[in-house]
Amino acid sequence: MSDGTGAATGSGAGADTGAETGAGAAPGAGRRVRVVLVDDHRMFRTGVQAEIGRTEVTGVEVVGEAADVDQAVTVITATRPEVVLLDVHLPGGGGVEVLRRCASLLGAPEDPVRFLALSVSDAAEDVIGVIRGGARGYVTKTITGTDLVDSVFRVQEGDAVFSPRLAGFVLDAFASTDAPPVDEDLDRLTQREREVLRLIARGYAYKEIAKQLYISVKTVESHVSAVLRKLQLSNRHELTRWATARRLV
């Protein structure tokens, strides 16, 4: 499973992430878990469903899907899955808003709903935000299908699961006694604009960003224009320097 078209087609051709989830366990070996998929890209949901939703093989039963915050809350409340695979950036307020509105399910004394973030973003603020919101882990979309199944079962059992470099963000955040500084400029940007900003700063072309985020090149151009306007910058070179200075790259 990858961030690009491989995930959308359920090919399972992702990075070798066996170290991140201990993928030695045999998926579906007498185990069962009910899962809801929350992601605003239908093709990605279809790919994940094809990759992990073969219940007789993986033990994962996909009982619902949602594309935005309102749909997610409705489906999760109606189906009460054991695990929710949650994208961070969603229409209607993002994954953090889903967690906030499902707080009673997270804290249920019996059969709590557990959340595992599954996102293209590997930004520290995204990771920390959903973990503070109550998610049990955070993996990126480069994870393989086998490792994702294993991660789902581990979260169901109460473990915390992270892609290797992301765990450090959480440890650093919770080890610090100081509140993180407020960046008023960054706060002006939407979650999607921040996502585009980081990819631009990393040197991605517009077509590559469009493919990575499952949006059109025209939409990428619109986001870049909005970012430049809000930050009062003139071009992508200034934008890259701005992002690098804030360690967003």
Side-chain angles (χ1 to χ4, degrees), residues 165-226:
R165 68 182 297 267
L166 305 187
F169 297 153
V170 179
L171 291 173
D172 290 344
F174 285 91
S176 173
T177 56
D178 299 324
V182 175
D183 189 326
E184 294 182 358
D185 290 332
L186 188 61
D187 285 347
R188 293 191 185 101
L189 306 182
T190 66
Q191 290 284 2
R192 181 63 89 189
E193 287 168 354
R194 294 185 192 188
E195 206 168 30
V196 171
L197 162 65
R198 289 188 198 94
L199 294 175
I200 284 287
R202 291 174 183 174
Y204 283 64
Y206 285 5
K207 287 183 178 180
E208 294 172 320
I209 296 172
K211 183 178 180 181
Q212 183 111 340
L213 301 181
Y214 298 93
I215 58 180
S216 69
V217 173
K218 187 173 182 180
T219 301
V220 174
E221 293 172 349
S222 297
H223 285 315
V224 173
S225 296

Side-chain angles (χ1 to χ4, degrees), residues 146-170:
T146 300
D147 286 349
L148 182 56
V149 169
D150 187 65
S151 296
V152 166
F153 278 109
R154 288 178 59 187
V155 167
Q156 178 198 25
E157 293 163 2
D159 288 348
V161 180
F162 295 93
S163 295
R165 68 182 297 267
L166 305 187
F169 297 153
V170 179

Side-chain angles (χ1 to χ4, degrees), residues 12-35:
D16 183 4
T17 52
E20 78 184 41
T21 55
R31 302 181 296 175
R32 289 291 182 270
V33 59
R34 300 170 68 253
V35 171

Side-chain angles (χ1 to χ4, degrees), residues 36-42 44-45 66-69 72 76 84-91 93-99 115-122 126 130 135 137-141 191-192 195 212-214:
V36 164
L37 306 178
V38 181
D39 193 290
D40 60 336
H41 297 114
R42 181 184 58 80
F44 182 75
R45 296 198 310 273
D68 58 34
V69 170
I76 293 166
V84 176
L85 285 175
L86 180 67
D87 193 12
V88 174
H89 301 147
L90 296 166
V96 171
E97 179 64 11
V98 175
L99 289 161
F115 289 76
L116 174 62
L118 175 63
S119 177
V120 68
S121 172
D122 60 1
D126 288 336
V130 294
Y138 193 118
V139 294
T140 60
K141 290 180 178 179
Q191 290 284 2
R192 181 63 89 189
E195 206 168 30
Q212 183 111 340
L213 301 181
Y214 298 93

